[in-house]
Amino acid sequence: MTQNTSKHAVVTGASTGIGEATVRKLRADGWHVVAVARRADRLETLARETGALAFAADITQDSDVAALVDFVTANGGLDTLVNIAGGARGADQIATAKEEDWDWMFQANVIGTMKMIQAFLPALRAHGNGTVLNLTSTAGLVAYEGGAGYNAAKFAQHAITNALRLEEVANNLRVIEVAPGLVQTEEFALNRMGGDAEAAKKVYEGVEAPLTGADVAEVVSYAVGLPHHINLDQIVIRPVAQAANHKLLRK
Ligand SMILES: NC(=O)c1ccc[n+]([C@@H]2O[C@H](COP(=O)([O-])OP(=O)(O)OC[C@H]3O[C@@H](n4cnc5c(N)ncnc54)[C@H](OP(=O)(O)O)[C@@H]3O)[C@@H](O)[C@H]2O)c1
């Protein structure tokens, strides 16, 4: 089967976790990659180790996103946008949820994704074989107690993905959603639990083999590496121990 041959990707959320693993995997597969996140020091290390280009940007800030577009344009352009930046803040029920947590989640997951897509759509359309991959979550498919803020943000990202596929079909844009379940990354649960390492540890406690960032990166690289006419609309990926959002086997 002929593989995708143009291979210029922009990957957000690249300073750690799933995004970092995705940069490593795409570089190993021969892609040109611009790695994006806010923490420049971590990106520089990743760039040295992988040969990716690093660009520090906050995807919720217009000036940062505009500067990123200039940088990408000056460095070979792109055919593939991989939106991984995002995350969760808090595990409160709606009765006690904190507005600032919801604000953060909407900005990082929804508004940031919208800004990145808007900024790069002209280049992706002009390319003619563009791809946008949005990293959502199984939290964007089924709601759960204590998840409402994150559910709402990820449901929104899921909806954006579906609308974009419809809106851009005439521009030959391929639009992929990857929705993982439990993934054990260094910072995700820690950030969600407000820096409480004990609470973060409990999220994965007794789970035999949660997914890793590298597992998800494998799936992302497969989806964007396929010939362009093949669109994996939505890929749900869970560890075997997680039969459903509400059914997580802990030993
Ligand atoms: N871990 C899981 O269980 C899981 C499961 C399903 C889906 N997901 C989703 O997968 C994605 C990655 O998860 P992860 O576990 O790798 O999370 P993570 O370790 O917390 O990484 C989040 C990444 O997003 C970046 N980021 C956050 N806000 C940003 C902003 N405003 N501008 C630019 N970059 C920003 C962070 O970099 P800086 O801090 O350096 O900016 C970091 O690189 C998220 O969208 C998450 O919701 C995670």
Side-chain angles (χ1 to χ4, degrees), residues 168-225:
E168 295 299 323
V169 62
N171 294 312
N172 201 31
L173 191 74
R174 173 168 63 169
V175 183
I176 302 166
E177 174 178 7
V178 174
L182 191 75
V183 188
Q184 188 163 19
T185 55
E186 217 179 308
E187 299 181 8
F188 177 85
L190 196 61
N191 286 333
R192 181 168 204 175
M193 300 305 178
D196 180 341
E198 274 311 303
K201 216 167 109 189
K202 282 205 171 67
V203 172
Y204 308 104
E205 213 161 64
V207 181
E208 196 159 75
L211 296 174
T212 64
D215 295 332
V216 180
E218 191 74 39
V219 173
V220 169
S221 86
Y222 176 75
V224 299

Side-chain angles (χ1 to χ4, degrees), residues 76-166:
L78 87 168
D79 50 83
T80 299
L81 172 62
V82 183
N83 289 310
I84 296 180
R89 290 289 183 276
D92 306 289
Q93 301 218 347
I94 297 165
T96 53
K98 297 177 194 65
E99 191 174 326
E100 68 259 30
D101 286 341
W102 286 47
D103 270 344
W104 188 91
M105 289 188 278
F106 273 77
Q107 282 296 320
N109 295 287
V110 184
I111 304 298
T113 298
M114 183 267 274
K115 285 186 189 294
M116 287 293 294
I117 292 169
Q118 274 188 347
F120 284 107
L121 255 187
L124 291 167
R125 286 172 174 166
H127 183 276
N129 282 307
T131 296
V132 172
L133 184 148
N134 291 334
L135 207 299
T136 63
S137 171
T138 52
L141 308 176
V142 179
Y144 55 90
E145 290 149 285
Y150 188 51
N151 291 139
K154 287 300 192 187
F155 268 73
Q157 217 185 9
H158 163 70
I160 291 169
T161 312
N162 285 346
L164 183 70
R165 190 178 304 113
L166 296 169

